[in-house]
Amino acid sequence: MATPVRRTARRWPRCDRPALVALLLGLAGVGYRLVLTLFTLPTSNSDEATFGLAALHIAAGGERPVFLYGQRYMGMLESYLAAPLVGLAGPSWPVLRLPLLALYALFVWLTYRLTRRLFSPWFAAFVVGLLALGSERVVRDQLTVVGGRPEVKPAVVAMLLIAVGLAERRIGHRFLATGLFGLLAGMALWSDWLIVPYLAVAGVVLVWAAPRELVGWAGVLLVAGFLVGVAPMIKDNLVAPAGQDSLSV
């Protein structure tokens, strides 16, 4: 006679003390930056105003800029992130900067996960505490819409986390993970070329973590994801006048 199998309810993973401390420190860092965002601190500049103007144009549906107006190398991802909010709430500095606050929170969370996996829970909490602080220059790079810096940081940390997960065989959908790796790399390259050395390191880690898998479909998805992410830059450079392509500039 078959006996019924009793199923236990699935429980969420418990939040241990290091994770709780990291959560409180991370919330403090986000809250501190939220207050600065609402008071428009640090003060703005002409580059941020240009990104805001592009967000207005995107929200109005009239333009799809690839690079910052007057340049051929700084991607407009931050304007695209702010465009829906600008379209709903109207133009203002806090509205323009709110997506960067979300990117900062994402960066802290990903850094905590990566540090905890590579080192120890308490050291990961300590790193979150450091990231909650910040000098004027650090906070300026995190909260002002000037291109490149706020979005490429979480992208590269996510890429490293994917590579470590593949190396430890913790990721189930490995093909999708490599495709996401390529997509993040392409978007980061379009956003700011200064990230190239970090992309190279993340690429080396990926090749070391999963060398055999990159030969098959995972490698195809990696290249496809990269081409999708960098597609705006490729398209713009194909029609750019002589001497005005990104590499020449």
Side-chain angles (χ1 to χ4, degrees), residues 61-126:
E63 294 188 20
R64 293 293 181 267
V66 174
F67 295 110
L68 184 64
Y69 298 146
Q71 297 181 356
R72 288 282 180 175
Y73 61 89
M74 185 66 72
M76 301 295 287
L77 182 59
E78 293 173 17
S79 294
Y80 283 96
L81 293 176
L85 295 178
V86 171
L88 289 174
S92 70
W93 296 120
V95 169
L96 183 64
R97 293 180 176 183
L98 279 178
L100 303 191
L101 184 64
L103 289 174
Y104 164 78
L106 179 61
F107 170 64
V108 172
W109 177 65
L110 291 173
T111 302
Y112 168 77
R113 290 194 58 187
L114 180 63
T115 308
R116 179 168 177 141
R117 182 164 296 179
L118 294 178
F119 300 100
S120 69
W122 280 113
F123 183 66
F126 172 73

Side-chain angles (χ1 to χ4, degrees), residues 2-247:
T3 56
V5 178
R6 185 178 180 181
R7 296 183 178 180
T8 57
R10 184 178 180 181
R11 297 180 179 179
W12 293 99
R14 296 181 61 182
C15 185
D16 55 20
R17 288 186 178 181
L20 181 59
V21 171
L23 176 62
L24 295 176
L25 291 174
L27 290 176
V30 172
Y32 167 56
R33 285 159 179 79
L34 176 60
V35 173
L36 294 179
T37 298
L38 295 177
F39 284 93
T40 317
L41 295 172
T43 57
S44 186
N45 54 37
S46 59
D47 285 343
E48 190 172 27
T50 305
F51 274 95
L53 182 63
L56 282 173
H57 294 165
I58 295 169
E63 294 188 20
R64 293 293 181 267
V66 174
F67 295 110
L68 184 64
Y69 298 146
Q71 297 181 356
R72 288 282 180 175
Y73 61 89
M74 185 66 72
M76 301 295 287
L77 182 59
E78 293 173 17
S79 294
Y80 283 96
L81 293 176
L85 295 178
V86 171
L88 289 174
S92 70
W93 296 120
V95 169
L96 183 64
R97 293 180 176 183
L98 279 178
L100 303 191
L101 184 64
L103 289 174
Y104 164 78
L106 179 61
F107 170 64
V108 172
W109 177 65
L110 291 173
T111 302
Y112 168 77
R113 290 194 58 187
L114 180 63
T115 308
R116 179 168 177 141
R117 182 164 296 179
L118 294 178
F119 300 100
S120 69
W122 280 113
F123 183 66
F126 172 73
V127 169
V128 172
L130 290 180
L131 294 177
L133 304 173
S135 64
E136 189 275 342
R137 180 64 199 185
V138 170
V139 174
R140 178 179 295 275
D141 285 347
Q142 293 171 344
L143 295 183
T144 53
V145 186
V146 293
R149 302 180 186 93
E151 65 268 27
V152 297
K153 293 174 183 177
V156 172
V157 176
M159 292 164 60
L160 292 173
L161 196 57
I162 290 173
V164 172
L166 290 173
E168 297 178 344
R169 298 193 175 277
R170 292 174 175 260
I171 298 178
H173 303 284
R174 300 172 72 85
F175 289 178
L176 296 180
T178 55
L180 177 60
F181 186 101
L183 178 65
L184 292 173
M187 293 179 63
L189 182 61
W190 164 45
S191 182
D192 192 346
W193 281 37
L194 291 177
I195 202 64
V196 168
Y198 299 91
L199 295 181
V201 171
V204 170
V205 174
L206 180 66
V207 172
W208 170 81
R212 296 181 180 179
E213 295 185 13
L214 298 181
V215 178
W217 279 107
V220 174
L221 290 177
L222 176 69
V223 175
F226 177 80
L227 292 177
V228 171
V230 81
M233 184 176 71
I234 295 176
K235 180 180 178 181
D236 187 85
N237 279 270
L238 290 176
V239 298
Q244 292 298 313
D245 59 279
S246 298
L247 186 59

